[in-house]
Structures are given as structure tokens and as C-alpha cells.
């Protein structure tokens, strides 16, 4: 196996682990209010990466296909209401909800030029409903990197 082939399953596994285990585990949504007003209850939201929409995305058969099939999803904290936010032929992963739950920062290789390695990526931001997907900077990031752009 070449080193390029070895990157795909590792990147996919890392994005699933990070996406589910902490990057967006508790995105709070609250309505700002005036002093003394009741605020809406916080709503737990989980951001995760999945290939659930593509049954042919098997990393043991074709790691590159599985990596490029990875898309970002949200679901309620109790595991209900899964919804797909991204839809393209590139890798989207490592989602992290902003503290107010309104925006999601994520990594994507959708701007990678033909022939560039699969791990060439950029930092993107989008609204929590998947709209407004915007490139912020080209280059990889890690979940421990401060995200002041939200």
C-alpha cells in the first residue's frame, strides 16, 4: 500500500472520531433576551462526518472513494433528526460548532487542484443549516487551533 492510500482511511477515521467525540458535541442554541426574560432551552447538537449517503463508500475496498464521500451532518443530542449539510465530491470533515451553535467551521479539500495530494485542504465556515459555505484560508487546521473567525 502506498502512503497516499494509507492516508484516506486514517483521515476518515480521525474525522469521525473528532466530529463525534467533541468537536461539535454540545452546540448550544439559545435566544438572546432582555434581562428577566425566559431564554429558550439549550439544545444539544452533534456534528459528525459520515458516508451514510453512499453505500459503496467502503474504506477497505477503496479508501480514496470513502474519503471523498465524507460529508458533514448534524443530529440532535439524542441521536434523532440527522441532516446532511454538505454535498460534493470532495472530503469535508472535522466539523466544529461555534459556541452559539449558529456556525460550523470545517476542513475540506474541495479546492484541491487536480493532481494535488488528497490532504491539501482548506478551512471553511458555514451556517448551521449548511448554507453560506465560505472558504476562509487554504491549509489544514486542527481542532486545537483557536477559531476566532466565528
Amino acid at each position: 500500500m502506498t502512503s497516499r492510500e494509507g492516508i484516506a482511511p486514517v483521515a476518515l477515521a480521525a474525522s469521525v472520531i473528532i466530529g463525534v467525540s467533541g468537536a461539535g458535541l454540545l452546540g448550544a442554541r439559545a435566544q438572546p433576551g432582555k434581562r428577566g426574560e425566559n431564554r429558550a432551552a439549550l439544545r444539544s447538537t452533534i456534528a459528525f462526518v459520515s458516508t451514510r449517503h453512499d453505500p459503496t463508500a467502503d474504506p477497505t475496498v477503496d479508501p480514496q472513494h470513502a474519503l471523498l464521500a465524507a460529508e458533514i451532518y448534524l443530529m440532535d443530542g439524542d441521536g434523532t433528526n440527522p441532516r446532511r449539510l454538505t454535498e460534493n465530491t470532495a472530503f469535508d470533515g472535522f466539523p466544529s460548532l461555534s459556541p452559539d451553535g449558529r456556525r460550523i467551521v470545517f476542513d475540506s479539500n474541495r479546492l484541491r487542484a487536480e493532481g494535488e495530494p488528497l490532504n491539501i485542504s482548506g478551512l471553511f465556515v458555514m451556517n448551521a443549516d449548511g448554507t453560506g459555505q465560505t472558504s476562509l484560508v487554504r491549509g489544514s487546521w486542527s481542532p486545537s487551533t483557536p477559531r476566532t473567525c466565528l
Side-chain angles (χ1 to χ4, degrees), residues 2 9 32-33 44-45 54-55 57 59 67 70 83-84 86 91 102 107 109 111 119 126 135 137 139:
T2 68
S44 178
T45 304
D54 185 349
L67 177 71
R83 51 218 180 265
R84 183 174 169 183
T86 60
F91 168 76
R102 295 180 184 187
D107 192 66
N109 70 357
L111 298 180
N119 64 348
M126 67 179 158
S135 174
V137 65

PDB file of all heavy atoms in Angstrom, residues 2 9 32-33 44-45 54-55 57 59 67 70 83-84 86 91 102 107 109 111 119 126 135 137 139:
ATOM      1  N   THR A   2       0.586   2.200  -0.840  1.00  0.00           N
ATOM      2  CA  THR A   2       1.360   3.436  -0.875  1.00  0.00           C
ATOM      3  C   THR A   2       0.956   4.331   0.278  1.00  0.00           C
ATOM      4  O   THR A   2      -0.090   4.161   0.887  1.00  0.00           O
ATOM      5  CB  THR A   2       1.126   4.189  -2.206  1.00  0.00           C
ATOM      6  OG1 THR A   2      -0.206   4.657  -2.226  1.00  0.00           O
ATOM      7  CG2 THR A   2       1.437   3.321  -3.407  1.00  0.00           C
ATOM      8  N   PRO A   9      -7.926   6.120   4.884  1.00  0.00           N
ATOM      9  CA  PRO A   9      -8.665   5.549   5.996  1.00  0.00           C
ATOM     10  C   PRO A   9      -8.352   6.236   7.323  1.00  0.00           C
ATOM     11  O   PRO A   9      -9.221   6.387   8.178  1.00  0.00           O
ATOM     12  CB  PRO A   9      -8.237   4.080   6.021  1.00  0.00           C
ATOM     13  CG  PRO A   9      -7.194   3.905   5.009  1.00  0.00           C
ATOM     14  CD  PRO A   9      -7.082   5.155   4.208  1.00  0.00           C
ATOM     15  N   PRO A  32     -31.094  35.114  22.499  1.00  0.00           N
ATOM     16  CA  PRO A  32     -30.719  36.209  23.377  1.00  0.00           C
ATOM     17  C   PRO A  32     -31.971  36.953  23.811  1.00  0.00           C
ATOM     18  O   PRO A  32     -32.908  37.120  23.033  1.00  0.00           O
ATOM     19  CB  PRO A  32     -29.813  37.082  22.503  1.00  0.00           C
ATOM     20  CG  PRO A  32     -30.140  36.714  21.105  1.00  0.00           C
ATOM     21  CD  PRO A  32     -30.657  35.300  21.130  1.00  0.00           C
ATOM     22  N   GLY A  33     -32.007  37.362  25.039  1.00  0.00           N
ATOM     23  CA  GLY A  33     -33.190  38.054  25.525  1.00  0.00           C
ATOM     24  C   GLY A  33     -32.818  39.192  26.447  1.00  0.00           C
ATOM     25  O   GLY A  33     -31.671  39.352  26.838  1.00  0.00           O
ATOM     26  N   SER A  44     -28.821  20.411  22.614  1.00  0.00           N
ATOM     27  CA  SER A  44     -27.608  19.667  22.324  1.00  0.00           C
ATOM     28  C   SER A  44     -27.615  19.245  20.853  1.00  0.00           C
ATOM     29  O   SER A  44     -28.609  18.743  20.341  1.00  0.00           O
ATOM     30  CB  SER A  44     -27.538  18.440  23.221  1.00  0.00           C
ATOM     31  OG  SER A  44     -26.395  17.682  22.937  1.00  0.00           O
ATOM     32  N   THR A  45     -26.495  19.487  20.175  1.00  0.00           N
ATOM     33  CA  THR A  45     -26.360  19.156  18.760  1.00  0.00           C
ATOM     34  C   THR A  45     -25.025  18.460  18.536  1.00  0.00           C
ATOM     35  O   THR A  45     -24.014  18.875  19.087  1.00  0.00           O
ATOM     36  CB  THR A  45     -26.413  20.428  17.896  1.00  0.00           C
ATOM     37  OG1 THR A  45     -27.624  21.123  18.182  1.00  0.00           O
ATOM     38  CG2 THR A  45     -26.351  20.104  16.420  1.00  0.00           C
ATOM     39  N   ASP A  54     -23.754   7.103   0.836  1.00  0.00           N
ATOM     40  CA  ASP A  54     -23.100   6.377  -0.248  1.00  0.00           C
ATOM     41  C   ASP A  54     -22.746   4.960   0.214  1.00  0.00           C
ATOM     42  O   ASP A  54     -21.696   4.745   0.804  1.00  0.00           O
ATOM     43  CB  ASP A  54     -21.839   7.116  -0.685  1.00  0.00           C
ATOM     44  CG  ASP A  54     -21.172   6.491  -1.899  1.00  0.00           C
ATOM     45  OD1 ASP A  54     -21.537   5.366  -2.299  1.00  0.00           O
ATOM     46  OD2 ASP A  54     -20.257   7.135  -2.444  1.00  0.00           O
ATOM     47  N   PRO A  55     -23.604   3.996  -0.055  1.00  0.00           N
ATOM     48  CA  PRO A  55     -23.350   2.628   0.410  1.00  0.00           C
ATOM     49  C   PRO A  55     -22.127   1.980  -0.235  1.00  0.00           C
ATOM     50  O   PRO A  55     -21.654   0.961   0.248  1.00  0.00           O
ATOM     51  CB  PRO A  55     -24.630   1.871   0.040  1.00  0.00           C
ATOM     52  CG  PRO A  55     -25.335   2.715  -0.958  1.00  0.00           C
ATOM     53  CD  PRO A  55     -24.867   4.122  -0.774  1.00  0.00           C
ATOM     54  N   ALA A  57     -19.197   3.419  -0.346  1.00  0.00           N
ATOM     55  CA  ALA A  57     -18.006   4.020   0.266  1.00  0.00           C
ATOM     56  C   ALA A  57     -17.460   3.111   1.358  1.00  0.00           C
ATOM     57  O   ALA A  57     -17.732   3.284   2.538  1.00  0.00           O
ATOM     58  CB  ALA A  57     -18.335   5.398   0.826  1.00  0.00           C
ATOM     59  N   PRO A  59     -14.016   1.899   3.036  1.00  0.00           N
ATOM     60  CA  PRO A  59     -12.586   2.193   3.075  1.00  0.00           C
ATOM     61  C   PRO A  59     -11.702   0.962   2.900  1.00  0.00           C
ATOM     62  O   PRO A  59     -10.538   1.096   2.519  1.00  0.00           O
ATOM     63  CB  PRO A  59     -12.375   2.837   4.445  1.00  0.00           C
ATOM     64  CG  PRO A  59     -13.571   2.506   5.246  1.00  0.00           C
ATOM     65  CD  PRO A  59     -14.679   2.233   4.286  1.00  0.00           C
ATOM     66  N   LEU A  67     -12.951   8.349   1.436  1.00  0.00           N
ATOM     67  CA  LEU A  67     -12.536   9.666   1.923  1.00  0.00           C
ATOM     68  C   LEU A  67     -13.293  10.777   1.203  1.00  0.00           C
ATOM     69  O   LEU A  67     -13.838  11.685   1.830  1.00  0.00           O
ATOM     70  CB  LEU A  67     -11.031   9.861   1.732  1.00  0.00           C
ATOM     71  CG  LEU A  67     -10.493  11.229   2.146  1.00  0.00           C
ATOM     72  CD1 LEU A  67     -10.514  11.370   3.659  1.00  0.00           C
ATOM     73  CD2 LEU A  67      -9.097  11.425   1.607  1.00  0.00           C
ATOM     74  N   ALA A  70     -16.969  11.504   2.202  1.00  0.00           N
ATOM     75  CA  ALA A  70     -17.259  12.010   3.551  1.00  0.00           C
ATOM     76  C   ALA A  70     -17.966  13.360   3.483  1.00  0.00           C
ATOM     77  O   ALA A  70     -17.512  14.288   2.817  1.00  0.00           O
ATOM     78  CB  ALA A  70     -15.967  12.138   4.344  1.00  0.00           C
ATOM     79  N   ARG A  83     -29.272  15.292   9.710  1.00  0.00           N
ATOM     80  CA  ARG A  83     -29.417  16.090   8.492  1.00  0.00           C
ATOM     81  C   ARG A  83     -28.055  16.349   7.874  1.00  0.00           C
ATOM     82  O   ARG A  83     -27.116  16.717   8.553  1.00  0.00           O
ATOM     83  CB  ARG A  83     -30.170  17.372   8.772  1.00  0.00           C
ATOM     84  CG  ARG A  83     -29.652  18.161   9.913  1.00  0.00           C
ATOM     85  CD  ARG A  83     -30.813  18.799  10.710  1.00  0.00           C
ATOM     86  NE  ARG A  83     -30.325  19.576  11.834  1.00  0.00           N
ATOM     87  CZ  ARG A  83     -30.222  19.104  13.080  1.00  0.00           C
ATOM     88  NH1 ARG A  83     -30.540  17.857  13.357  1.00  0.00           N
ATOM     89  NH2 ARG A  83     -29.799  19.884  14.053  1.00  0.00           N
ATOM     90  N   ARG A  84     -28.001  16.136   6.573  1.00  0.00           N
ATOM     91  CA  ARG A  84     -26.765  16.309   5.813  1.00  0.00           C
ATOM     92  C   ARG A  84     -26.606  17.780   5.456  1.00  0.00           C
ATOM     93  O   ARG A  84     -27.519  18.416   4.941  1.00  0.00           O
ATOM     94  CB  ARG A  84     -26.840  15.457   4.543  1.00  0.00           C
ATOM     95  CG  ARG A  84     -25.601  15.484   3.709  1.00  0.00           C
ATOM     96  CD  ARG A  84     -25.769  14.496   2.578  1.00  0.00           C
ATOM     97  NE  ARG A  84     -24.732  14.629   1.586  1.00  0.00           N
ATOM     98  CZ  ARG A  84     -24.690  13.926   0.470  1.00  0.00           C
ATOM     99  NH1 ARG A  84     -25.630  13.032   0.215  1.00  0.00           N
ATOM    100  NH2 ARG A  84     -23.724  14.101  -0.393  1.00  0.00           N
ATOM    101  N   THR A  86     -23.413  19.087   3.864  1.00  0.00           N
ATOM    102  CA  THR A  86     -22.568  19.285   2.689  1.00  0.00           C
ATOM    103  C   THR A  86     -22.884  18.213   1.656  1.00  0.00           C
ATOM    104  O   THR A  86     -23.338  17.118   1.994  1.00  0.00           O
ATOM    105  CB  THR A  86     -21.060  19.241   3.047  1.00  0.00           C
ATOM    106  OG1 THR A  86     -20.745  17.970   3.618  1.00  0.00           O
ATOM    107  CG2 THR A  86     -20.693  20.366   3.997  1.00  0.00           C
ATOM    108  N   PHE A  91     -13.628  15.725   0.119  1.00  0.00           N
ATOM    109  CA  PHE A  91     -13.654  15.412   1.546  1.00  0.00           C
ATOM    110  C   PHE A  91     -14.074  16.639   2.338  1.00  0.00           C
ATOM    111  O   PHE A  91     -13.524  17.720   2.175  1.00  0.00           O
ATOM    112  CB  PHE A  91     -12.261  14.967   2.012  1.00  0.00           C
ATOM    113  CG  PHE A  91     -12.130  14.911   3.502  1.00  0.00           C
ATOM    114  CD1 PHE A  91     -12.689  13.862   4.215  1.00  0.00           C
ATOM    115  CD2 PHE A  91     -11.468  15.907   4.199  1.00  0.00           C
ATOM    116  CE1 PHE A  91     -12.583  13.811   5.595  1.00  0.00           C
ATOM    117  CE2 PHE A  91     -11.358  15.868   5.570  1.00  0.00           C
ATOM    118  CZ  PHE A  91     -11.916  14.813   6.273  1.00  0.00           C
ATOM    119  N   ARG A 102     -24.561  28.593  15.844  1.00  0.00           N
ATOM    120  CA  ARG A 102     -25.059  29.142  14.576  1.00  0.00           C
ATOM    121  C   ARG A 102     -24.152  28.887  13.380  1.00  0.00           C
ATOM    122  O   ARG A 102     -24.604  28.956  12.245  1.00  0.00           O
ATOM    123  CB  ARG A 102     -25.264  30.649  14.717  1.00  0.00           C
ATOM    124  CG  ARG A 102     -26.346  30.993  15.696  1.00  0.00           C
ATOM    125  CD  ARG A 102     -26.500  32.479  15.801  1.00  0.00           C
ATOM    126  NE  ARG A 102     -27.478  32.789  16.827  1.00  0.00           N
ATOM    127  CZ  ARG A 102     -27.924  33.991  17.061  1.00  0.00           C
ATOM    128  NH1 ARG A 102     -27.491  35.014  16.359  1.00  0.00           N
ATOM    129  NH2 ARG A 102     -28.798  34.195  18.020  1.00  0.00           N
ATOM    130  N   ASP A 107     -13.024  21.441   7.722  1.00  0.00           N
ATOM    131  CA  ASP A 107     -11.912  21.245   6.810  1.00  0.00           C
ATOM    132  C   ASP A 107     -12.454  20.614   5.537  1.00  0.00           C
ATOM    133  O   ASP A 107     -13.344  19.771   5.597  1.00  0.00           O
ATOM    134  CB  ASP A 107     -10.905  20.313   7.487  1.00  0.00           C
ATOM    135  CG  ASP A 107      -9.578  20.261   6.778  1.00  0.00           C
ATOM    136  OD1 ASP A 107      -8.898  21.291   6.771  1.00  0.00           O
ATOM    137  OD2 ASP A 107      -9.223  19.190   6.244  1.00  0.00           O
ATOM    138  N   ASN A 109     -11.212  19.525   1.232  1.00  0.00           N
ATOM    139  CA  ASN A 109     -10.244  19.580   0.132  1.00  0.00           C
ATOM    140  C   ASN A 109     -10.941  19.896  -1.188  1.00  0.00           C
ATOM    141  O   ASN A 109     -10.422  19.639  -2.263  1.00  0.00           O
ATOM    142  CB  ASN A 109      -9.409  18.300   0.054  1.00  0.00           C
ATOM    143  CG  ASN A 109     -10.180  17.089  -0.412  1.00  0.00           C
ATOM    144  OD1 ASN A 109     -11.378  17.135  -0.651  1.00  0.00           O
ATOM    145  ND2 ASN A 109      -9.479  15.977  -0.527  1.00  0.00           N
ATOM    146  N   LEU A 111     -11.220  22.567  -2.834  1.00  0.00           N
ATOM    147  CA  LEU A 111     -10.488  23.492  -3.714  1.00  0.00           C
ATOM    148  C   LEU A 111      -9.149  22.915  -4.168  1.00  0.00           C
ATOM    149  O   LEU A 111      -8.366  23.605  -4.816  1.00  0.00           O
ATOM    150  CB  LEU A 111     -10.262  24.827  -3.002  1.00  0.00           C
ATOM    151  CG  LEU A 111     -11.527  25.589  -2.603  1.00  0.00           C
ATOM    152  CD1 LEU A 111     -11.168  26.889  -1.919  1.00  0.00           C
ATOM    153  CD2 LEU A 111     -12.416  25.839  -3.809  1.00  0.00           C
ATOM    154  N   ASN A 119      -4.526  15.343   0.895  1.00  0.00           N
ATOM    155  CA  ASN A 119      -4.516  16.061   2.169  1.00  0.00           C
ATOM    156  C   ASN A 119      -4.284  17.563   2.011  1.00  0.00           C
ATOM    157  O   ASN A 119      -4.097  18.266   2.992  1.00  0.00           O
ATOM    158  CB  ASN A 119      -3.497  15.452   3.132  1.00  0.00           C
ATOM    159  CG  ASN A 119      -2.072  15.589   2.635  1.00  0.00           C
ATOM    160  OD1 ASN A 119      -1.832  15.931   1.486  1.00  0.00           O
ATOM    161  ND2 ASN A 119      -1.127  15.300   3.501  1.00  0.00           N
ATOM    162  N   MET A 126     -19.572  27.649   7.585  1.00  0.00           N
ATOM    163  CA  MET A 126     -20.926  27.655   7.029  1.00  0.00           C
ATOM    164  C   MET A 126     -21.918  27.901   8.153  1.00  0.00           C
ATOM    165  O   MET A 126     -21.589  27.760   9.336  1.00  0.00           O
ATOM    166  CB  MET A 126     -21.240  26.340   6.320  1.00  0.00           C
ATOM    167  CG  MET A 126     -21.331  25.130   7.209  1.00  0.00           C
ATOM    168  SD  MET A 126     -21.733  23.670   6.225  1.00  0.00           S
ATOM    169  CE  MET A 126     -21.147  22.365   7.286  1.00  0.00           C
ATOM    170  N   SER A 135     -14.957  29.668   1.970  1.00  0.00           N
ATOM    171  CA  SER A 135     -13.551  29.355   2.219  1.00  0.00           C
ATOM    172  C   SER A 135     -12.923  30.481   3.032  1.00  0.00           C
ATOM    173  O   SER A 135     -13.095  31.656   2.718  1.00  0.00           O
ATOM    174  CB  SER A 135     -12.813  29.209   0.887  1.00  0.00           C
ATOM    175  OG  SER A 135     -11.435  29.054   1.106  1.00  0.00           O
ATOM    176  N   VAL A 137      -9.392  30.045   4.536  1.00  0.00           N
ATOM    177  CA  VAL A 137      -7.953  30.014   4.291  1.00  0.00           C
ATOM    178  C   VAL A 137      -7.575  28.630   3.767  1.00  0.00           C
ATOM    179  O   VAL A 137      -8.176  27.632   4.133  1.00  0.00           O
ATOM    180  CB  VAL A 137      -7.162  30.350   5.587  1.00  0.00           C
ATOM    181  CG1 VAL A 137      -7.369  29.294   6.650  1.00  0.00           C
ATOM    182  CG2 VAL A 137      -5.693  30.557   5.309  1.00  0.00           C
ATOM    183  N   GLY A 139      -5.157  25.541   3.661  1.00  0.00           N
ATOM    184  CA  GLY A 139      -4.215  24.918   4.585  1.00  0.00           C
ATOM    185  C   GLY A 139      -4.975  24.170   5.655  1.00  0.00           C
ATOM    186  O   GLY A 139      -6.088  24.517   6.005  1.00  0.00           O
TER     187      GLY A 139
END
